[in-house]
Amino acid sequence: MSDYNAFLNNYAFITIIVLLGVMLLVVILWIVSKCLRFLIKKDDTQPDATTVQYDWHTLSVAQALHKQSTQLSSGLSQAEVKARQNDYGFNQLDETPPEPAWHLLLSQFKSILILVLIIAAIVAAAIGDLSDGIVILIVVIINAFLGFYQEFQAEKSLAALKKMLALQAKVRRDGRVQELSATQLVPGDIVILEAGDKIPADGRIVAANTLEVDESSFTGESVPVTKQKKELRNPATPLAERSNMLYMNNAIVRGRAEMLVTATGMDTEIGKLADLLAQTEDEATPLQLQLDSLGKRLALFALVVVVVLFASAILRGEPLIETAFTAIALAVAAIPEGLPAVVTVTLALGMHRMASQRAIVKRLSAVETLGCTTVICTDKTGTLTVNQMTARAVFYKEQRYSVSGEGYEITGEILPTVSATDLNALLLPLALCNDSHVRDNQVLGDPMEGALLVLAAKGGLSKEQANKQLPRIAEIPFDAEHKFMATFHRQDYEIKIFIKGAPEVLLNLCVRLKYC
């Protein structure tokens, strides 16, 4: 029997040494990871040169080109591009390097509750209760690998998305237009933009034709903004009102433009916002705070149990060794080893449900943060909508029609139902006097024109079908001064004109009114 007890004691001792070694290794790796992240962040810097800042919106096109030492017709030379890339670096926002897999795994052991469980497993093994120690360790390991797997997969998905969404730009260099990665842009480049393009850098407009830009991600306004190339007089004009400037990550919804790049990378306005966001520190979520608080309370409770039992044993004169084993066993039994696993599984299910709604969550704790959100305070309605317009009602030939469906999905209908020929005179202008396109339930162009195209499609008329029937031969683009757009179409030997615009302007152009 004594040999058996000695064996158990030796086994428990060995177990304790191994577990303590693992804990020491975890601590060492954690410290090393912090040092590596600091060194990577320190070395991962762009060149010190920053873009020279002028009040670009107050300069004429000629002055802006002169300041950047470039020409509109030819752009920069390759030699000048290489020199400026050495000065300003690549046109990309600073990003924290992705966490290595082993660091993600170690981060699963940060919780105080997890540390308490590990200590409980060590103590349980030390007093000979190997089954409890092994069970607790298995639960901790399963919890860690489940959280690691979810977060590692999210990191991989985000990396794949970034590769898929790599932005391309049309640039004029050495007198030739070429398409290249937006990261290769430098101040002084001439970028050519069309409807549907994403703006790859900040720049001064040097040529524009009926240009409208979606700046909702920048200003919160859901309505496209009209842009032009004339200089502005007031140097203090707010960013959102600088009608001759374009900003990175916004999108062209109508027209065409040529832009002189004035800022790239972290010198752009969106780069300044990214820098402010990078300075904010991650805070623990409410659930993490509650779990850490629970871990501290459990540790305190276990300590109190041990102290009380020792004190009572001393008062009663009981053997201290036996009392110590009993106290430790009760303290270990008070630890809810299954709680972390239950929390992790619950958050993983939430993460999976978010993924089914096409939302990638990098951290499990973010799911709980989103679930705790009760009020969103905002001063812009555009930030809370899907930035889509839908035609819901039509009044035509003294008849009111209602339109079903949402957004740019062509799944609704016009009620009461009538034949396509009855609505042909209404639907043709909607499809033909229109410069936008709808593809895969997304609009390329102006949101209002997209809503009109969807309305025509619900009535049975597509834009492609209408263009084949009446090909466009000329147009008068929409302009803020005359407030209308007109297109000219050939039909046999006749020319048909379709026009849309502000009601007060069109009514003044009419000689007589019909169906009013």
Side-chain angles (χ1 to χ4, degrees), residues 189-255:
D189 265 327
I190 304 297
V191 179
I192 300 170
L193 299 164
E194 298 177 350
D197 288 346
K198 206 167 187 178
I199 300 170
D202 286 3
R204 169 71 163 86
I205 298 173
V206 294
N209 182 14
T210 64
L211 183 64
E212 291 187 5
V213 179
D214 175 14
E215 293 187 338
S216 58
S217 62
F218 187 61
T219 64
E221 298 291 347
S222 59
V223 179
V225 180
T226 302
K227 297 285 186 175
Q228 49 84 34
K229 67 176 185 178
K230 295 180 181 179
E231 65 271 19
L232 304 177
R233 294 184 179 180
N234 185 8
T237 303
L239 292 176
E241 297 177 13
R242 295 179 184 180
S243 58
N244 56 6
M245 297 293 295
L246 297 176
Y247 299 105
M248 188 179 193
N249 279 3
N250 292 326
I252 307 295
V253 298
R254 174 187 285 176

Side-chain angles (χ1 to χ4, degrees), residues 18-76:
V18 171
L19 291 174
L20 287 176
V22 172
M23 290 297 297
L24 182 61
L25 179 62
V26 167
V27 172
I28 293 174
L29 289 176
W30 186 266
I31 295 173
V32 171
S33 71
K34 290 294 183 183
C35 295
L36 288 175
R37 286 171 65 83
F38 175 77
L39 293 174
I40 291 172
K41 186 175 182 180
K42 185 176 180 181
D43 293 338
D44 187 27
T45 56
Q46 292 282 351
D48 293 334
T50 56
T51 307
V52 178
Q53 296 296 325
Y54 296 103
D55 291 325
W56 294 102
H57 60 287
T58 64
L59 303 179
S60 67
V61 171
Q63 290 172 329
L65 291 169
H66 177 71
K67 293 288 186 183
Q68 289 287 16
S69 302
T70 188
Q71 295 182 355
L72 181 59
S73 59
S74 59
L76 297 173

Side-chain angles (χ1 to χ4, degrees), residues 309-373:
L309 286 179
F310 263 108
S312 63
I314 292 174
L315 292 176
R316 292 195 302 267
E318 296 180 0
L320 293 180
I321 299 299
E322 183 179 342
T323 303
F325 275 75
T326 303
I328 292 172
L330 287 175
V332 171
I335 306 298
E337 63 271 9
L339 180 59
V342 171
V343 172
T344 301
V345 170
T346 303
L347 293 179
L349 291 174
M351 203 173 188
H352 179 71
R353 291 185 64 184
M354 293 286 289
S356 66
Q357 298 297 320
R358 297 179 294 181
I360 297 177
V361 181
K362 287 184 64 176
R363 298 287 178 266
L364 280 174
S365 57
V367 177
E368 182 265 337
T369 304
L370 183 61
C372 288
T373 303

